[in-house]
Amino acid sequence: MTLKLYADRMSQPSRAIIIFCKLNGIDFEEVKIDLSRRQHLTPEFREINPMKKVPAMVDGRFKLSESHAILMYLACVFPGVADHWYPADVFTRAKIHSVLDWHHSNLRRGAASYVLNSTLAPALGLPLNPEAAAEGEKLLSASLMKIETVWLKGKGRFLLGSFQPSIADLSLVCEIMQLELVDEKDRERIMGPHPKVLKWIDDTKKATRPHFDEVHSILFKVKEKMKKLQSDGSVGESTRKTSPRSKM
Amino acid sequence: MTLKLYADRMSQPSRAIIIFCKLNGIDFEEVKIDLSRRQHLTPEFREINPMKKVPAMVDGRFKLSESHAILMYLACVFPGVADHWYPADVFTRAKIHSVLDWHHSNLRRGAASYVLNSTLAPALGLPLNPEAAAEGEKLLSASLMKIETVWLKGKGRFLLGSFQPSIADLSLVCEIMQLELVDEKDRERIMGPHPKVLKWIDDTKKATRPHFDEVHSILFKVKEKMKKLQSDGSVGESTRKTSPRSKM
């Protein structure tokens, strides 16, 4: 029975798992759960993941949610996944767990909150929230600084000084890619002070091509649509009453 | 060289690791990093953990931060840790990872924010924040409901239907214990609707005695001190200017 991935490519952890499977020749069926159409809230999807979140996975009779747990599971059970993705060495593995745990309360929380509240909210039928966006940006910038000065220390081009990417590189870079949705000036202001982070993103893209670009192409399409809707004047106000969901 | 744990027993993940070591006969030196005295911000501690957070661990030359990563590392490298704490079975282990990942953005975020903003802030020289407390309580209550209806499903008394506790039980119960600091009526309002959660907390306490009680005794002492300070009228205003740190 083929592995089933319940995902929305607009969700950064969904993209990380899809790219991981493609890179490692893991055969899977991608089941789209459209967040903008609230498909994650249906009774059918609740049977797959009672937490009502994507990504989620079904492998035979085994159901699993949470992207880091899924990446670790896939790396362990599918033959042919190269060791560098989730090294068997207990010390390297522990450090990868540390980065992934840190990610939850720092980079992910900051980036997701900033992108949602500064840009994405109207496309989900929610108002923009400049105060929450500013709060998110603060945590995001502090997190990028920690990646620059702590996690990217060492000889290699990847996190923890590694010479090849791990699931941590994939997870964190997919998170930062969400910033492609925001205004270019804002993105430059936030990313500019972190040259090592920018180089690492580029190195991770190169190491995971062509799948990285293909799976991320949706972001650029959505950005174009959002720009068009903005120029039509139908998205962007902070007190919208109708949802442009059907237009996305 | 003895394992060194840098911890403050007022921090819930610090307590989880100390209890885990004591339960499993892991020899360790507890180095107190007093958060209320800002010892986590010193240059000395930054050498141990550049993220400036407790808990952190040094095992020989190996440094590690993030409590879940530390628990998993300890379970893997110390002989004599019973399998139920972090089962080798790939499916059970994946489910434990899923609970621990979920914990970061749900129970921990809700509980920590609620306790800080409703109660603990003045003891750290910060103002109370009723709005943030209400927001925290909402996420905390939703998380407790998920534990009640999803994670505590199954035959056994512990998370994921297990018959013996895992590192996930320890981590999550230590988090909820932080609610001992808040007003009893508030605690009852929040915990009351979740009878399975209350029973599971009790079962986890019983399975980890006497270490659980010993390591948590600080909470009750601090609560007494806070009550005394409150009745003196020196703590509890939301616009305090001086810190009662020296009194704690």
Side-chain angles (χ1 to χ4, degrees):
Chain A
M1 217 193 228
T2 312
L3 175 78
K4 280 192 180 185
L5 287 186
Y6 296 79
D8 181 333
R9 291 187 181 199
M10 282 301 289
S11 122
Q12 46 281 49
S14 291
R15 292 195 298 270
I17 294 175
I18 294 168
I19 294 166
F20 181 82
C21 287
K22 286 176 178 260
L23 282 166
N24 289 289
I26 296 172
D27 193 25
F28 70 101
E29 179 191 341
E30 185 178 340
V31 184
K32 183 167 181 180
I33 300 296
D34 190 333
L35 298 176
S36 73
R37 293 176 193 274
R38 299 178 178 264
Q39 291 179 348
H40 56 302
L41 304 178
T42 62
E44 293 76 27
F45 186 63
R46 206 193 317 187
E47 287 298 308
I48 303 299
N49 181 13
M51 299 306 177
K52 305 177 204 164
K53 296 263 171 77
V54 291
M57 179 209 88
V58 179
D59 187 20
R61 285 175 308 177
F62 186 62
K63 294 175 186 171
L64 194 62
S65 62
E66 290 292 335
S67 69
H68 296 166
I70 293 173
L71 287 167
M72 283 148 71
Y73 170 81
L74 295 174
C76 288
V77 300
F78 281 87
V81 174
D83 185 72
H84 64 83
W85 288 110
Y86 186 49
D89 174 71
V90 73
F91 301 103
T92 317
R93 185 169 280 199
K95 282 287 196 182
I96 287 175
H97 293 157
S98 182
V99 174
L100 290 173
D101 284 334
W102 172 87
H103 178 33
H104 285 288
S105 317
N106 294 279
L107 177 65
R108 171 149 186 78
R109 194 166 156 186
S113 171
Y114 174 69
V115 174
L116 177 72
N117 291 298
S118 72
T119 309
L120 204 56
L124 297 167
L126 299 165
L128 293 173
N129 184 337
E131 205 179 307
E135 191 90 1
E137 182 177 337
K138 216 170 127 187
L139 182 54
L140 167 59
S141 289
S143 302
L144 291 169
M145 185 55 87
K146 288 294 182 195
I147 298 175
E148 180 94 3
T149 56
V150 180
W151 297 131
L152 282 175
K153 253 180 156 177
K155 284 185 182 170
R157 293 176 297 157
F158 298 100
L159 294 172
L160 304 167
S162 299
F163 290 91
Q164 285 181 290
S166 76
I167 54 173
D169 294 276
L170 201 50
S171 176
L172 274 61
V173 170
C174 284
E175 187 70 52
I176 299 173
M177 282 302 289
Q178 207 75 346
L179 288 174
E180 292 292 342
L181 291 172
V182 310
D183 188 270
E184 265 155 57
K185 276 184 195 159
D186 292 329
R187 191 175 180 275
E188 263 174 42
R189 183 186 72 245
I190 293 169
M191 298 302 298
H194 310 290
K196 279 174 83 173
V197 171
L198 287 168
K199 178 158 188 323
W200 159 67
I201 294 171
D202 208 44
D203 286 335
T204 304
K205 282 183 189 175
K206 280 180 190 154
T208 57
R209 269 184 187 146
H211 308 296
F212 191 96
D213 297 334
E214 188 250 313
V215 175
H216 278 89
S217 62
I218 189 171
L219 280 186
F220 301 96
K221 284 182 203 153
V222 167
K223 187 168 189 176
E224 280 311 305
K225 281 190 190 172
M226 284 169 63
K227 266 189 186 166
K228 198 172 171 301
L229 289 171
Q230 265 172 341
S231 67
D232 291 353
S234 58
V235 170
E237 313 92 38
S238 58
T239 52
R240 300 178 56 264
K241 288 220 170 102
T242 54
S243 160
R245 223 172 280 148
S246 57
K247 298 181 191 172
M248 295 292 288
Chain B
M1 216 192 231
T2 312
L3 175 78
K4 280 192 180 185
L5 287 185
Y6 296 79
D8 182 333
R9 291 188 181 198
M10 283 300 290
S11 122
Q12 44 282 48
S14 292
R15 292 195 299 270
I17 294 175
I18 294 168
I19 294 167
F20 182 82
C21 287
K22 286 176 178 260
L23 283 166
N24 289 289
I26 296 172
D27 193 26
F28 70 102
E29 179 190 341
E30 184 178 340
V31 184
K32 183 169 181 179
I33 300 297
D34 190 332
L35 297 176
S36 73
R37 292 176 195 275
R38 298 178 178 264
Q39 290 177 349
H40 56 303
L41 304 178
T42 62
E44 293 77 27
F45 185 63
R46 206 193 318 188
E47 288 297 307
I48 304 298
N49 181 13
M51 298 306 176
K52 306 177 202 163
K53 295 264 170 78
V54 291
M57 180 210 86
V58 179
D59 187 20
R61 285 175 306 176
F62 186 63
K63 294 174 186 171
L64 194 63
S65 61
E66 290 291 336
S67 68
H68 296 167
I70 293 173
L71 287 167
M72 284 148 71
Y73 171 82
L74 295 174
C76 289
V77 300
F78 280 88
V81 174
D83 184 71
H84 64 82
W85 287 111
Y86 186 48
D89 173 72
V90 73
F91 301 104
T92 317
R93 185 169 280 198
K95 282 287 196 182
I96 288 175
H97 293 156
S98 182
V99 174
L100 290 172
D101 284 334
W102 172 86
H103 178 32
H104 285 287
S105 316
N106 294 279
L107 177 66
R108 171 149 187 78
R109 193 164 156 187
S113 171
Y114 174 70
V115 174
L116 176 72
N117 290 299
S118 72
T119 309
L120 203 57
L124 298 166
L126 299 165
L128 293 174
N129 184 337
E131 203 178 309
E135 191 89 2
E137 183 179 335
K138 217 170 124 185
L139 181 54
L140 167 58
S141 289
S143 303
L144 291 169
M145 185 55 85
K146 289 292 183 196
I147 298 176
E148 181 92 4
T149 56
V150 180
W151 297 131
L152 282 174
K153 254 180 155 177
K155 284 185 180 171
R157 293 176 299 158
F158 298 101
L159 295 172
L160 305 167
S162 300
F163 290 91
Q164 286 181 291
S166 76
I167 54 173
D169 294 276
L170 201 51
S171 176
L172 273 61
V173 170
C174 284
E175 186 70 53
I176 299 173
M177 284 301 289
Q178 207 76 346
L179 287 174
E180 293 292 342
L181 290 171
V182 310
D183 188 89
E184 265 155 57
K185 276 184 196 161
D186 292 329
R187 191 175 179 276
E188 263 173 43
R189 183 187 71 245
I190 293 168
M191 298 301 298
H194 310 290
K196 280 174 83 173
V197 171
L198 287 167
K199 177 155 190 324
W200 159 67
I201 293 170
D202 209 46
D203 286 334
T204 304
K205 281 182 188 175
K206 281 179 191 155
T208 56
R209 269 183 186 145
H211 307 296
F212 191 96
D213 296 335
E214 187 250 314
V215 175
H216 278 88
S217 63
I218 188 171
L219 280 186
F220 302 96
K221 283 182 203 153
V222 167
K223 186 167 189 176
E224 280 310 305
K225 280 190 192 173
M226 283 168 64
K227 266 189 185 167
K228 198 172 172 303
L229 289 171
Q230 264 172 341
S231 67
D232 291 352
S234 58
V235 170
E237 312 92 38
S238 58
T239 51
R240 301 178 56 263
K241 287 217 173 104
T242 55
S243 159
R245 225 171 280 147
S246 57
K247 297 179 190 172
M248 295 294 287

